[in-house]
Amino acid sequence: MTKLITIILFVSIINFAQTNFSEPPQWAKEAIWYQIFPERFYNGDKSNDPKPIDLKGSWPYFVPDDWQIHPWTSDWYELQPWEKNTGMDFYRNAGLRRYGGDIQGIIDKLDYLKELGITAIYLNPIFEAPSLHKYDAAMYHHIDNNFGPDPEGDRKIWESENPADPSTWQWTSADKLFLKLIQEAHSRNIKIIIDGVFNHTGTTFWAFQDIIKNQQNSKYKDWYIIKKWDNPETPENEFDYQGWYGVKDLPEINEDENGIVEGPSNHIHAVIKRWMDPDGDGNPSDGIDGWRLDVADMVNHKFWQKFRKWVREINPEAYLVGEVWWKDWRNDEMYNATPWLKNEFDAVMNYRFTRAIKNLIFSKKYFTGINGFIDTIKTMMNQYEENYFVMMNLLGSHDTERLASLIVNPDNLYDHDGHPGQNPKFDVRKPNEEERKKQKLAVAIQFTLPGAPHIYYGDEAGMWGGDDPDCRKPMLWKEFQYDDEKSHPLGKSRIPDKVSFDDSLFNWYKMLAALRNNNKSLSLGDVEFLSEQDDDLLIYKREYLNQKMIIIANINPYEFKINFKHKKYLKEKSIWNELINGKKIPTDEITLKPYAIMLLN
């Protein structure tokens, strides 16, 4: 028995020590990420669709009497009759829209993601909240009841609990369905992480509601930054508090010199345990595989160091990615995220990568040239070192204009003036054929450089749209027939755009995912840039063990034939395997069409 116990302990120690505390998990180097905005992905269960009561407490703080779930396949900018009756424009009505996406919808489409080649999913917030985006949590310990099969039954369970006491927490139908999603994803070898929004909550959060009711007598009065209490002897309500960036919808959680204060900190610790090891048996395989941490630069480093310790104690292979982004957007300055890495996060959402691609392929105004692009990538790799291989290298997200619309509007300041409500000159049209070629080139470079490629839901299907809310359209599915997009949010005339699933684009993404999944040099390999100062082509080599690949990208609108200067990079072979078209090609015959790319081995 003693010998058996020794063996078990030894095996446990080996498993626990697979990844050093300050190192990223190995799986994240080979991940292909797919980001899902749950309310807009797929409506798998229409019986749980939101009702007016579910919108209570969210902007714009009223629900029209004739409010309805929005038709999934309708023209995005066209106002429904109930929207016209509000007298508000598109952008104010957009906050009232609900399309009914849910957890069952994600489960129903896991095989679609598997076919695409996805190995990891990042979900935007799924905790109970009244808004469509869920960044205004009402609680962290339950999945939103409209994402599960029994909204009213879940509501009754909430009422039977003490949200401050984890021993009273139960599992709602939505919680259980989410645990099923984790199981189904893991059975397909797909990891899953969720959004942790711990800088702020919504005004409907249970602790904040207690403060509103009991004011300075609330047990949770120290959880938030309260500026002024209400004086019950006056008719006015003087109660005031600090909101995230001054937004009163999002009261900010209190911090001291050590980060988030003890009360909410302990609550967050309990929430981490709940979702990372749901049955509490010490085996995290039934829980999430990590966290994406919202507005991470606005939370004290000491808290994130503690957070990492909590997470790695449960699952040493968990992945943490922070939202560390703009340092000064007015001057186009993004953070060097090094201070947040190793002892806090494994990676950040790498918007610097997006900007580098934009300024290489799309923009004339901000064009850096090939050498400038290479310098940017090298700078990031030198700063982030080994962590660069797990960076979430994205080309669009729920917070920016979509990749396709970034290409149509390339000379705007990235992430600002990104839709007609902010910039009347923003072009809402569908990309043309040349712009789709640019999209394919950008994605091919993304999938063949170091860092984990990230797909924002629907980019692979052909979706386009400006910054929030236009980047949050309902997902394009092949089995649906969509109305043409012919309306404009400012009432301008436009040529109607056909809205349909783009098979060619999907197959391009699928092919690139397969190449990356089947060639470890593309995920684990060193990179060597071969392009020279005055080159017209972007050329780089990926090498891992005995596997080598040379990538040649033509960023120009004209055809380019390999010349004598480039042949020195290819001298070791006279004939190459070209992996995209599956053909053999002599070095002397290598010609790239406009915005084309070749993978040679």
Side-chain angles (χ1 to χ4, degrees):
M1 178 62 78
T2 303
K3 184 177 181 181
L4 178 60
I5 293 173
T6 302
I7 291 172
I8 292 173
L9 286 173
F10 177 75
V11 171
S12 298
I13 291 169
I14 292 297
N15 287 337
F16 190 87
Q18 286 178 349
T19 300
N20 184 281
F21 179 82
S22 63
E23 294 175 351
Q26 184 69 19
W27 65 263
K29 296 179 181 179
E30 300 182 65
I32 297 176
W33 289 98
Y34 192 89
Q35 179 183 346
I36 293 175
F37 195 85
E39 215 279 322
R40 301 294 164 82
F41 188 60
Y42 187 65
N43 189 346
D45 181 359
K46 292 183 172 56
S47 71
N48 63 14
D49 286 355
K51 298 176 181 178
I53 188 176
D54 298 303
L55 280 66
K56 186 178 179 181
S58 68
W59 185 88
Y61 298 108
F62 79 99
V63 183
D65 292 337
D66 52 350
W67 179 91
Q68 295 178 355
I69 285 286
H70 217 79
W72 194 276
T73 60
S74 60
D75 177 355
W76 171 248
Y77 289 119
E78 182 180 10
L79 297 182
Q80 297 298 302
W82 67 265
E83 291 178 303
K84 293 177 182 177
N85 290 340
T86 67
M88 301 189 305
D89 65 9
F90 166 80
Y91 287 104
R92 283 188 62 81
N93 273 305
L96 288 168
R97 285 187 178 183
R98 301 293 185 273
Y99 286 82
D102 49 32
I103 299 296
Q104 187 59 53
I106 300 171
I107 293 173
D108 290 348
K109 293 299 183 178
L110 284 175
D111 288 338
Y112 166 87
L113 299 180
K114 186 67 177 178
E115 179 189 356
L116 181 57
I118 297 306
T119 66
I121 296 170
Y122 151 42
L123 296 179
N124 283 107
I126 54 175
F127 298 144
E128 175 59 33
S131 70
L132 64 96
H133 53 71
K134 310 301 176 190
Y135 282 94
D136 55 339
M139 58 186 83
Y140 295 137
H141 65 289
H142 285 307
I143 304 303
D144 191 278
N145 65 338
N146 296 116
F147 289 163
D150 185 12
E152 292 308 313
D154 290 357
R155 204 182 301 276
K156 292 176 182 177
I157 291 176
W158 304 342
E159 293 169 355
S160 71
E161 299 175 335
N162 175 2
D165 181 0
S167 70
T168 70
W169 296 353
Q170 303 175 53
W171 295 101
T172 65
S173 70
D175 298 341
K176 292 175 181 176
L177 191 63
F178 176 60
L179 298 183
K180 181 183 178 183
L181 168 60
I182 295 172
Q183 180 184 16
E184 293 286 344
H186 286 174
S187 72
R188 293 167 173 80
N189 295 316
I190 296 174
K191 305 286 188 182
I192 186 165
I193 70 170
I194 61 177
D195 222 319
V197 187
F198 302 129
N199 164 265
H200 55 265
T201 68
T203 57
T204 60
F205 194 84
W206 57 270
F208 192 76
Q209 284 292 302
D210 190 89
I211 294 173
I212 291 175
K213 179 180 178 181
N214 297 307
Q215 293 290 298
Q216 58 265 55
N217 295 320
S218 171
K219 292 184 290 186
Y220 314 108
K221 64 181 180 180
D222 296 327
W223 281 41
Y224 295 89
I225 304 169
I226 308 301
K227 297 180 178 180
K228 194 173 183 180
W229 300 106
D230 179 38
N231 182 353
E233 297 181 2
T234 65
E236 298 82 20
N237 184 353
E238 295 91 353
F239 179 60
D240 192 19
Y241 56 92
Q242 182 167 310
W244 173 76
Y245 264 116
V247 178
K248 293 296 185 180
D249 302 40
L250 304 173
E252 191 167 340
I253 294 175
N254 195 15
E255 293 191 50
D256 58 22
E257 66 275 7
N258 294 312
I260 292 175
V261 296
E262 183 178 8
S265 178
N266 290 340
H267 181 69
I268 291 168
H269 191 190
V271 168
I272 290 171
K273 293 176 181 178
R274 179 173 175 84
W275 299 114
M276 295 197 67
D277 185 9
D279 60 10
D281 67 349
N283 179 354
S285 62
D286 56 342
I288 59 172
D289 300 288
W291 297 84
R292 180 265 191 186
L293 287 318
D294 188 57
V295 292
D297 60 291
M298 298 185 72
V299 176
N300 189 297
H301 287 281
K302 291 182 180 179
F303 176 77
W304 292 132
Q305 291 161 10
K306 183 165 59 175
F307 188 96
R308 183 177 186 85
K309 183 174 181 292
W310 289 338
V311 165
R312 286 297 182 97
E313 284 173 348
I314 299 170
N315 183 358
E317 299 300 310
Y319 172 81
L320 295 178
V321 55
E323 183 193 26
V324 178
W325 188 5
W326 286 114
K327 187 175 183 180
D328 181 358
W329 66 264
R330 291 173 180 81
N331 292 308
D332 199 28
E333 183 181 3
M334 295 187 188
Y335 277 111
N336 167 8
T338 301
W340 285 271
L341 299 179
K342 299 190 184 302
N343 290 322
E344 297 177 35
F345 310 139
D346 300 298
V348 296
M349 295 182 75
N350 197 7
Y351 289 98
R352 293 170 72 186
F353 180 83
T354 314
R355 185 176 60 183
I357 290 286
K358 169 184 179 287
N359 294 346
L360 174 69
I361 305 173
F362 314 148
S363 178
K364 294 180 180 179
K365 181 177 179 179
Y366 299 104
F367 180 65
T368 60
I370 288 172
N371 216 250
F373 175 78
I374 292 172
D375 183 64
T376 297
I377 300 299
K378 283 183 174 179
T379 296
M380 287 191 290
M381 292 191 71
N382 288 333
Q383 290 170 343
Y384 300 157
E385 299 176 331
E386 189 68 13
N387 291 76
Y388 190 81
F389 286 84
V390 299
M391 285 292 132
M392 195 180 269
N393 278 355
L394 69 166
L395 292 173
S397 79
H398 63 292
D399 280 332
T400 70
E401 54 268 59
R402 280 188 176 270
L403 170 58
S405 289
L406 185 65
I407 298 169
V408 172
N409 299 272
D411 292 331
N412 290 340
L413 187 63
Y414 176 52
D415 180 46
H416 295 89
D417 291 337
H419 65 61
Q422 300 170 340
N423 173 15
K425 295 181 179 179
F426 189 90
D427 197 339
V428 299
R429 67 170 172 80
K430 182 178 183 177
N432 59 33
E433 184 178 350
E434 182 180 79
E435 289 159 346
R436 286 299 192 197
K437 290 179 181 177
K438 292 181 181 180
Q439 179 174 351
K440 289 181 175 181
L441 175 59
V443 175
I445 293 173
Q446 176 195 30
F447 271 72
T448 54
L449 279 176
H454 161 290
I455 302 169
Y456 183 49
Y457 83 96
D459 282 352
E460 81 287 355
M463 292 179 68
W464 71 92
D467 204 346
D468 169 26
D470 298 341
C471 54
R472 303 173 182 182
K473 297 177 184 178
M475 173 70 177
L476 273 181
W477 293 111
K478 189 180 295 189
E479 64 266 31
F480 293 165
Q481 295 292 320
Y482 292 80
D483 294 341
D484 290 349
E485 194 173 291
K486 55 188 179 182
S487 304
H488 191 283
L490 304 184
K492 297 180 179 180
S493 62
R494 61 180 288 195
I495 299 172
D497 284 312
K498 184 172 179 57
V499 181
S500 60
F501 189 92
D502 191 323
D503 286 291
S504 173
L505 200 57
F506 175 84
N507 289 330
W508 180 259
Y509 278 79
K510 178 180 174 180
M511 176 270 296
L512 290 171
L515 285 172
R516 188 172 179 100
N517 285 330
N518 295 325
N519 293 274
K520 289 189 181 296
S521 62
L522 294 179
S523 53
L524 304 178
D526 295 331
V527 62
E528 179 184 357
F529 290 100
L530 305 175
S531 301
E532 296 179 352
Q533 185 73 32
D534 59 345
D535 243 331
D536 292 296
L537 300 176
L538 174 63
I539 307 175
Y540 48 100
K541 179 169 64 175
R542 301 296 309 275
E543 190 166 2
Y544 180 72
L545 301 178
N546 61 344
Q547 195 179 93
K548 183 187 300 183
M549 192 175 299
I550 292 179
I551 297 94
I552 306 176
N554 181 12
I555 66 167
N556 303 292
Y558 48 81
E559 187 173 275
F560 203 100
K561 182 177 175 59
I562 290 288
N563 58 37
F564 177 78
K565 179 175 67 173
H566 305 114
K567 289 179 182 178
K568 63 184 175 184
Y569 308 137
L570 306 169
K571 61 184 178 182
E572 62 186 82
K573 288 185 179 182
S574 58
I575 297 179
W576 293 83
N577 295 313
E578 206 294 294
L579 300 184
I580 289 179
N581 60 31
K583 296 180 179 178
K584 294 186 180 297
I585 181 169
T587 300
D588 290 339
E589 297 179 15
I590 294 177
T591 301
L592 290 95
K593 293 181 179 179
Y595 306 112
I597 190 168
M598 286 187 174
L599 279 65
L600 307 174
N601 76 355

